[in-house]
Amino acid sequence: MDLTYNIRRMISPIGNDAEIGTKELEIRALDNLDERYIIRTKDSDGMWLNFLNSPLWVEKLCSPEKGVIEVTVRKDYPKYRGCEDSEKFLKDVEAYFTDVFGGRSIFGTSFRMREEPIMDKATTSRMITTDEGDEIGWEEHDVDVYVGSTFILDGPTHGDEESYTTLDEDKKAFIIRKLEAIFDEKGAYCKEIPFKDSVFGECYHYEFRISNF
């Protein structure tokens, strides 16, 4: 799936417009995760390379041949491991998939992210004491135990309302493998909720799910 349009928009110096200043740039993806790209240009067009206020980090800058500039960049994205603010993390995942960096969605739609904690019951024991602090004996009781969480990325959305569209297999596959990269877990999958539209026919609302246990 070609996401180089978004890279052009991110480095365009004027109004996040991909048509300004990037036509002469050759952009090539180095993976299928929207993570690393090579940007190649003539040195005379190098002034158009603009990485300020973009989620792109320069990994390597070189001149493989006379008159040519080649930049290897890495695109920043949210990571679950080590995140300290869960609410911010969920918002960052939404932002990544909705592509709010330029006010334009990767897939022409908006997404939202939520966490569903999974709880279980366990039996534990505690010591019973008198008012004076004397031990009487042990008592078993049930407690709620956190097992893990299932994270759900769903879309399309319009504000708080669910919307419906059709995503092709390449887009669904990209979302699944990107979620697995974000969480450093395997097992993400897509649940499709069908909807009959009088104009567009059969559409779907999508729930992409991944668990951390």
Side-chain angles (χ1 to χ4, degrees):
M1 190 173 64
D2 184 10
L3 295 178
T4 57
Y5 173 91
N6 292 301
I7 303 300
R8 293 182 184 278
R9 179 174 49 74
M10 288 171 186
I11 62 179
S12 176
I14 301 177
N16 261 1
D17 187 340
E19 298 302 315
I20 305 296
T22 67
K23 290 183 179 180
E24 303 304 319
L25 303 180
E26 176 189 340
I27 303 177
R28 177 167 55 91
L30 294 176
D31 53 56
N32 64 357
L33 284 170
D34 187 37
E35 289 185 15
R36 297 177 70 244
Y37 292 85
I38 283 183
I39 303 172
R40 185 180 171 97
T41 184
K42 297 177 182 177
D43 58 5
S44 57
D45 296 320
M47 64 179 182
W48 293 111
L49 294 175
N50 173 41
F51 300 109
L52 294 176
N53 302 317
S54 82
L56 300 175
W57 299 86
V58 177
E59 277 191 349
K60 181 180 178 182
L61 176 63
C62 66
S63 178
E65 57 189 84
K66 186 176 180 179
V68 173
I69 296 174
E70 192 172 273
V71 186
T72 303
V73 297
R74 179 179 293 275
K75 185 178 178 184
D76 198 13
Y77 65 93
K79 299 176 182 63
Y80 179 67
R81 301 297 181 191
C83 75
E84 297 179 354
D85 186 335
S86 60
E87 288 298 321
K88 181 180 183 302
F89 168 74
L90 296 179
K91 292 297 183 184
D92 286 346
V93 175
E94 288 179 0
Y96 174 79
F97 284 104
T98 305
D99 193 17
V100 297
F101 300 112
R104 177 189 175 105
S105 168
I106 293 176
F107 305 117
T109 187
S110 294
F111 290 87
R112 65 187 167 201
M113 189 73 171
R114 65 185 189 274
E115 177 182 2
E116 289 188 352
I118 308 300
M119 308 298 292
D120 199 357
K121 291 289 186 181
T123 301
T124 187
S125 298
R126 61 186 174 190
M127 175 60 69
I128 304 299
T129 61
T130 65
D131 293 340
E132 290 76 24
D134 297 326
E135 295 181 351
I136 300 175
W138 293 93
E139 177 187 67
E140 290 188 345
H141 66 109
D142 292 334
V143 294
D144 292 323
V145 177
Y146 173 70
V147 176
S149 292
T150 295
F151 296 87
I152 302 170
L153 176 78
D154 76 301
T157 61
H158 181 72
D160 293 331
E161 299 296 323
E162 292 184 358
S163 299
Y164 295 85
T165 189
T166 300
L167 298 180
D168 62 37
E169 294 303 316
D170 284 346
K171 291 175 181 177
K172 287 186 287 185
F174 170 78
I175 296 175
I176 287 173
R177 65 176 177 263
K178 192 65 192 186
L179 277 177
E180 292 181 339
I182 288 171
F183 285 89
D184 194 21
E185 296 275 2
K186 294 296 184 182
Y189 66 96
C190 176
K191 177 182 178 183
E192 301 180 0
I193 304 169
F195 174 78
K196 288 287 187 179
D197 185 87
S198 59
V199 176
F200 299 105
E202 189 171 47
C203 301
Y204 297 90
H205 187 79
Y206 298 89
E207 291 185 352
F208 296 89
R209 295 171 172 257
I210 189 168
S211 299
N212 63 1
F213 63 96

